[in-house]
């Protein structure tokens, strides 16, 4: 694939690491590529970061044809910039595209786009501890008609944002509200696809939880509101007795790459790990009788997020006295160690930018 590069004539000043936050600052360029039924993917280009101009009837604005990915580039102590399992994100994006009738991108082209873009923007990868360059590939349907049908025209873009350390004052366990009214997704729907629509449907419950002082929502299944699904934009894991349990991929939850990586690390270490149905009743019982020893969320943004409190139907349960547990800490240290290049990458997950 040929990628044309047009460099900006007015590069921005790189921000101070202390001001980064999440997704507020963007780099100088973006990758773009267009799709049409007739021509397939074409016009791959890296151009200066700028506003888009789209037709007011564009599909995405009316019918929500949009998917996205999220991954990071990390700067090692020796200065090298590297990505974490980018091929997994590319495969998941194509699976999301298939679900939403958006065009798929050949894996090698998507990887080439990511690599060329990160290579050009790599000076934007911050070097302060636990900072990174967040990469946001996304795709939307861009037909200029109000007719409802599978997409004939689409646009694929990658933007990048230097992001700060998720945990500024050490890892703080979060408080989670178990949602028993709204649901995020149902089997047969789009739960396993990383699409904007899932987020639009989640906002109301998230907002309600926030008002009550909780940082995120734990979703139950969309049919019976009985089985645990995931937490906000993270997958969820529990240590109940000697067993580490995470909801199985049933079609309504997002197959997280952090989740997959945690399972691979835990299995290698010989932990007893189950991907299975876990009901809210089983979890509530484990909370009551003290066998719920640890709970954590996992996702690219925070990597591992310990859960210190769960609230279900107005009853509050403290997990591990509100402190980070041993397995949670081990996973955090192992994954972040590999990502920032401080630990040997025995799994072959690292993709250095050459
Ligand atoms: C992206 C996402 C996750 C986490 O996936 P990772 O690949 O680990 O970042 C979990 N749940 C939802 C709903 C997501 O959108």
């Amino acid at each position: 694939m040929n990628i044309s590069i047009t460099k900006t004539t007015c590069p921005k000043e790189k921000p101070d690491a202390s001001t980064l936050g999440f997704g507020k600052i963007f780099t100088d360029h973006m990758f773009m590529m267009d799709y049409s039924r007739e021509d397939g993917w074409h016009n791959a280009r890296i151009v200066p970061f700028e506003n888009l101009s789209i037709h007011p009837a564009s599909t995405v604005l009316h019918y929500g044809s949009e998917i996205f990915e999220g991954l990071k580039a990390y700067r090692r102590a020796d200065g090298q910039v590297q990505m974490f399992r980018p091929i997994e994100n590319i495969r998941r994006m194509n699976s999301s595209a298939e679900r939403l009738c958006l065009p798929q991108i050949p894996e090698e082209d998507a990887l080439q786009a990511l690599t060329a873009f990160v290579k050009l923007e790599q000076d934007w990868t911050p070097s302060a501890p636990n900072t990174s360059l967040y990469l946001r590939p996304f795709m939307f349907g861009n037909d200029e008609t109000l007719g409802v049908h599978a997409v004939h025209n689409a646009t694929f873009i990658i933007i990048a944002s230097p992001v700060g350390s998720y945990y500024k004052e050490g890892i703080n366990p979060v408080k989670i509200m178990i949602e028993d009214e709204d649901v995020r997704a149902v089997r047969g729907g789009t739960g396993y696809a990383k699409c904007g629509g899932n987020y639009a449907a989640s906002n109301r419950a998230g907002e309600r939880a926030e008002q009550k002082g909780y940082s995120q929502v734990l979703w139950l299944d969309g049919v019976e509101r009985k089985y645990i699904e995931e937490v906000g934009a993270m997958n969820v894991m529990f240590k109940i007795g000697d067993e580490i349990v995470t909801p199985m991929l049933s079609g309504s939850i997002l197959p997280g790459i952090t989740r997959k990586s945690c399972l691979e690390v835990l299995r290698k270490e010989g932990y007893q790990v189950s991907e299975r149905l876990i009901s809210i009743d089983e979890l509530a019982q484990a909370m009551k009788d003290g066998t719920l020893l640890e709970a954590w969320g996992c996702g690219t943004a925070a990597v591992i997020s310990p859960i210190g409190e769960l609230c279900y139907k107005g009853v509050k349960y403290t997990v591990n006295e509100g402190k980070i547990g041993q397995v949670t800490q081990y996973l955090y240290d192992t994954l972040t160690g590999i990502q920032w290049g401080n630990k040997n990458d025995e799994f072959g997950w690292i993709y250095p930018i050459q």
Side-chain angles (χ1 to χ4, degrees):
M1 183 172 71
N2 181 46
I3 304 175
S4 76
I5 296 180
T6 310
K7 284 199 184 163
T8 181
T9 50
C10 41
K12 289 176 273 197
E13 191 132 339
K14 308 277 188 304
D16 186 86
S18 64
T19 64
L20 289 176
F22 182 81
K24 295 185 298 190
I25 297 163
F26 296 92
T27 64
D28 284 325
H29 301 91
M30 57 189 183
F31 175 90
M32 288 185 84
M33 179 159 75
D34 303 314
Y35 174 87
S36 70
R37 275 243 168 133
E38 304 77 51
D39 302 327
W41 285 109
H42 61 276
N43 197 10
R45 59 203 187 274
I46 293 173
V47 292
F49 187 94
E50 61 183 358
N51 287 352
L52 302 177
S53 167
I54 57 173
H55 193 280
S58 176
T59 325
V60 63
L61 299 179
H62 301 269
Y63 307 126
S65 303
E66 193 267 354
I67 58 173
F68 65 95
E69 272 303 325
L71 70 162
K72 287 173 170 173
Y74 307 83
R75 187 178 294 285
R76 288 193 330 217
D78 65 4
Q80 171 74 45
V81 171
Q82 56 191 23
M83 293 189 279
F84 182 73
R85 312 190 81 175
I87 201 72
E88 295 286 339
N89 292 89
I90 290 167
R91 290 186 180 140
R92 185 171 65 193
M93 183 175 74
N94 280 334
S95 154
S96 302
E98 195 278 333
R99 180 64 186 80
L100 275 89
C101 283
L102 283 161
Q104 300 185 39
I105 303 180
E107 285 178 14
E108 59 278 14
D109 290 348
L111 191 57
Q112 189 195 345
L114 260 179
T115 310
F117 177 61
V118 175
K119 192 170 178 177
L120 184 73
E121 298 295 65
Q122 60 177 308
D123 289 351
W124 282 89
T125 314
S127 54
N130 296 315
T131 61
S132 56
L133 184 64
Y134 184 79
L135 306 169
R136 168 55 62 87
F138 62 107
M139 188 196 297
F140 55 91
N142 201 7
D143 286 321
E144 300 179 352
T145 163
L146 296 178
V148 180
H149 50 66
V151 163
H152 294 188
N153 293 276
T155 304
F156 173 66
I157 303 181
I158 310 172
I159 54 176
S161 170
V163 297
S165 167
Y166 201 87
Y167 298 107
K168 290 217 170 47
E169 299 110 23
I171 304 186
N172 278 319
V174 293
K175 292 161 71 179
I176 300 289
M177 169 76 80
I178 301 177
E179 173 66 35
D180 57 3
E181 200 177 309
D182 286 3
V183 299
R184 190 189 82 95
V186 291
R187 233 171 297 158
T190 55
Y192 70 88
K194 210 168 172 76
C195 65
N198 289 342
Y199 280 76
S202 309
N203 280 341
R204 186 171 72 172
E207 201 59 24
R208 279 198 300 245
E210 209 169 289
Q211 276 163 16
K212 290 185 181 141
Y214 289 83
S215 64
Q216 290 202 42
V217 162
L218 181 95
W219 299 104
L220 301 179
D221 77 276
V223 179
E224 299 177 77
R225 292 187 184 70
K226 181 173 169 193
Y227 298 102
I228 308 274
E229 296 230 306
E230 56 182 311
V231 175
M234 291 186 287
N235 294 109
V236 67
M237 299 188 175
F238 305 98
K239 182 165 192 272
I240 303 178
D242 288 332
E243 186 191 17
I244 292 169
V245 193
T246 194
M248 63 195 212
L249 300 178
S250 58
S252 53
I253 67 175
L254 208 283
I257 295 155
T258 318
R259 172 189 184 278
K260 183 174 182 176
S261 305
C262 285
L263 295 178
E264 288 174 41
V265 166
L266 291 170
R267 289 196 170 116
K268 185 150 197 285
E269 284 299 308
Y271 283 95
Q272 184 196 337
V273 181
S274 318
E275 297 172 70
R276 62 171 172 85
L277 286 175
I278 169 167
S279 71
I280 182 62
D281 295 336
E282 179 186 348
L283 188 71
Q285 191 58 45
M287 292 193 283
K288 276 188 207 121
D289 63 23
T291 52
L292 176 68
L293 303 177
E294 298 183 40
W296 63 91
C298 47
T300 296
V303 191
I304 300 290
S305 183
I307 296 171
E309 183 185 316
L310 284 157
C311 178
Y312 181 54
K313 293 197 188 291
V315 184
K316 295 175 182 175
Y317 300 90
T318 303
V319 185
N320 194 37
E321 298 167 347
K323 296 191 304 250
I324 182 165
Q326 203 186 329
V327 178
T328 314
Q329 182 78 54
Y330 173 75
L331 284 171
Y332 180 82
D333 293 344
T334 304
L335 292 185
T336 57
I338 294 172
Q339 287 163 340
W340 274 278
N342 303 318
K343 261 203 163 77
N344 181 29
D345 172 28
E346 55 187 306
F347 297 92
W349 288 339
I350 286 310
Y351 190 92
I353 300 299
Q354 243 90 63

